[in-house]
Structures are given as structure tokens and as C-alpha cells.
Amino acid sequence: MNVSSDQKPAPARSPRWKRWLQNLALFCGTFLVCAVMLEIALRLMGYGNLEVYEPDRKLYWKLKPNQDCFTKIDRRPVHINSHGTRGPEFQMEKPAGTVRILSLGDSRTFGWGLRDEETYSRQLERLLQGHAGAGRTVEIINAGVNAWSYSQMQVYFRDVGLRFRPDFVILADANLWTQFSEQNSPEFVDQILRRVRLKNFLRRFALYHFFIEVQLQNAIQRHRLKFIPVDPKQDQLFKEQQQEDPDKLFREEIQRLCLIAKTNGVTPLLLYLPTTGDLGPTNQSNVLRVKREVANEIGVPLVDLTPDLMPQGKALYLDADPVHLNAQGNSIVAERLFGSITNRLSP
């Protein structure tokens, strides 16, 4: 049978790989649009805009100056001044009639999940200013940086903190898991600086903040000890830079900072902030033992918060967080420091 001349042949079907590419492009485009919309929605809800760090070959990372951001937990407002410390602006040259205190520590000093006025540094400043009266000004520089080690704090105090001409330096607690010090190889430093840059890039996105650092926080906490053990000797991630005796390293850096302070006319004060696991009467940490030894050997005051926090225990810490004190816990720290410092203030 003959086919009519006006009958057109059926159009050829697109090759399978072209249809696959079209579907993939449609999926990617839809995913991208949804991701952008979700990013915008999360930003409107307050996610994103976390603090940003600058890579530094001596300090490894430091807070980028002049930024307004939010804490990762509970999204509390944070202002980083032109000197790269949390809190209000201050003059590099200490004004006459000013008592200046440099507060060093890790995220517990920085104020994890707290407003600036809730940190123990700012609460202590208010207490001391009330005691000093109108004749003197009290300034406390909160130089706490998340995850800093004692080695990093010692380098910061030596190279930066002394320029502020503090009268006192408070040395709180540090990250014990990894030992970021000046003794590490240039290759290790380069490796960490690359990670700092990558983390800074990711932290600019609300999606990363919400899904990774908030929603997956519990999972991260459950599995973090596989990668960042509490015992530095077991640290598999940075095994090559671990010392044979980490307690000896902590002791040397704490002692070195205190001696640098004394040599430069600064009064050092050691502060111990226990975790909930350290509140038991028999659970003395290695850090507390080391700080007691240093305090006794070179005559440095030590403020141990264990007996003050023990009665209320977990009620003084952030929800489901055994490390970071809440505003009430920080208030207790400020009151203990107030008593120790006022005893050493000249009339």
C-alpha cells in the first residue's frame, strides 16, 4: 500500500544522553533556585553572618576586625572592634587614670552563645567600675578567641596584648585537643591556614550555619571525639604535631605567659573554669593541677570556680552544653574575679 505524499514522517527522538542532560539541567536549576530562596529565608530568620577569622602564620587564626555578626549558638549579637577583640572600641594608648585588664581564653571567654554584656569580662568590668568610682576608669579587653590553645594565647599576649599596656592579665582556659604552637612545621601551618580560609568561606552561608553548625550539632558532638579526642595524645587528625607530654606543654606556656607578664609590670591571674564533668569532688582535671603548680611556684593568684559552680551544677551551663557557662554562671565567675582583683588594686 502506498503512503500518501502529504503524510510527514514521525520526528526523530532525541538521543538518550541529550534527554539525560536536559533533565539534569532542569534538576540543577530547580535545586539552585530553591537553595537561593532557602538561603534568603534563613538569613531573614537570623542565620548566617557568623564571626569571620583572619589566617595568621603565628596565631593560625584571629578575629577579623570591624565586624558585626552573631554567635553560632542562640545567634546573640557580636561586635568585633578595630583591634580584633569582642566588645566596644578602645584606644591603643591607655588613657591616664585607667585600669586596664586583658582577658585571655577560648570560647568560654569570648562568650559562646552570650551577649557581650553577659560575658564574665563585661560583668566584671561593671563591678570594678562601680568599685572604682568616678575617679578612675576600668577597661576590660575581651581577647577570647574560639578554640585557641595556651600556646596561641602566649604568642598573642607577647606580640599584641602587651601593646595595650594592661595592668592585669586574666588567663582562663584553652583548647586542649590540638597544640597550635610556634614549634610546628611550615607545612603544618600552611595546612591549617587553608582550612581556616575554607571555614571562613562556608560560614558566610546561612545554609551552612543552619544545617551543619546547628541542626547537625548533636551528631557532631557525638562523633567529634573520634577526630578531636579530649586526650591530646590520641589526636589522629593532627597526630604529627602532638607532644610526648601535653601537660608539660600546657605548663610551659602558662608559666611563660605569667613570667612575661611579671617582667613587663603586668599582674597575672590564673582562672579555672570547670566543665560539668569536672565538678565532682574527685574529678580534678590536669589543667587545674598544672595551674595550681604554676601558681604556687611563681606566686600567681589562682581563681578556681569549681566550689562556686558545684552547688548548682548543670543549671549554670548552656542547655545540653557541658562546657560553656550561661549568663548566670558568668556572673558567678565575675564576682569571684572581682574579689580577687579588688584586693590587688592600689587605692
Side-chain angles (χ1 to χ4, degrees), residues 116-277:
D116 181 50
E117 61 268 20
E118 295 173 330
T119 64
Y120 69 79
S121 297
R122 199 62 59 225
Q123 294 194 57
L124 174 62
E125 183 182 74
R126 291 196 297 270
L127 291 174
L128 290 173
Q129 188 60 68
H131 174 79
R136 280 193 295 184
T137 300
V138 177
E139 287 183 349
I140 297 188
I141 300 171
N142 183 352
V145 176
N146 293 339
W148 262 9
S149 67
Y150 286 118
S151 299
Q152 288 165 289
M153 295 177 201
Q154 186 269 133
V155 171
Y156 176 85
F157 179 66
R158 181 196 68 200
D159 294 351
V160 181
L162 284 176
R163 300 180 197 168
F164 303 142
R165 295 180 56 210
D167 300 285
F168 295 84
V169 57
I170 300 172
L171 179 61
D173 294 308
N175 167 21
L176 304 179
W177 302 310
T178 48
Q179 298 157 17
F180 298 102
S181 73
E182 294 179 296
Q183 310 307 316
N184 293 317
S185 67
E187 293 76 18
F188 174 78
V189 175
D190 291 336
Q191 179 186 16
I192 297 302
L193 296 188
R194 286 194 295 270
R195 298 185 185 200
V196 172
R197 295 185 184 98
L198 175 61
K199 190 69 176 288
N200 273 341
F201 173 75
L202 294 174
R203 286 166 68 89
R204 295 178 186 275
F205 295 96
L207 288 167
Y208 174 83
H209 181 191
F210 179 76
F211 286 108
I212 303 301
E213 298 205 3
V214 176
Q215 296 302 315
L216 294 182
Q217 182 66 23
N218 291 335
I220 291 172
Q221 290 296 332
R222 286 196 301 270
H223 297 289
R224 71 195 300 266
L225 294 184
K226 296 179 182 178
F227 305 99
I228 310 179
V230 172
D231 182 358
K233 294 179 181 178
Q234 301 176 12
D235 192 329
Q236 298 301 313
L237 186 60
F238 302 123
K239 187 175 181 179
E240 71 279 4
Q241 55 121 8
Q242 294 304 317
Q243 307 294 322
E244 289 296 327
D245 185 358
D247 290 354
K248 179 175 181 289
L249 176 67
F250 305 153
R251 176 194 179 91
E252 289 175 349
E253 298 295 359
I254 292 169
Q255 187 174 56
R256 187 176 292 116
L257 190 150
C258 292
L259 292 175
I260 291 173
K262 285 191 164 189
T263 302
N264 287 274
V266 181
T267 301
L269 190 152
L270 299 178
L271 173 64
Y272 176 68
L273 303 172
T275 65
T276 56

Side-chain angles (χ1 to χ4, degrees), residues 266-316:
V266 181
T267 301
L269 190 152
L270 299 178
L271 173 64
Y272 176 68
L273 303 172
T275 65
T276 56
D278 297 324
L279 292 178
T282 60
N283 297 345
Q284 178 178 325
S285 77
N286 289 346
V287 174
L288 177 57
R289 177 179 55 78
V290 167
K291 285 189 173 180
R292 280 179 173 163
E293 291 174 357
V294 172
N296 292 332
E297 285 183 13
I298 61 176
V300 175
L302 168 64
V303 176
D304 173 16
L305 266 293
T306 305
D308 303 86
L309 301 177
M310 194 180 298
Q312 298 186 60
K314 293 181 179 179
L316 298 175

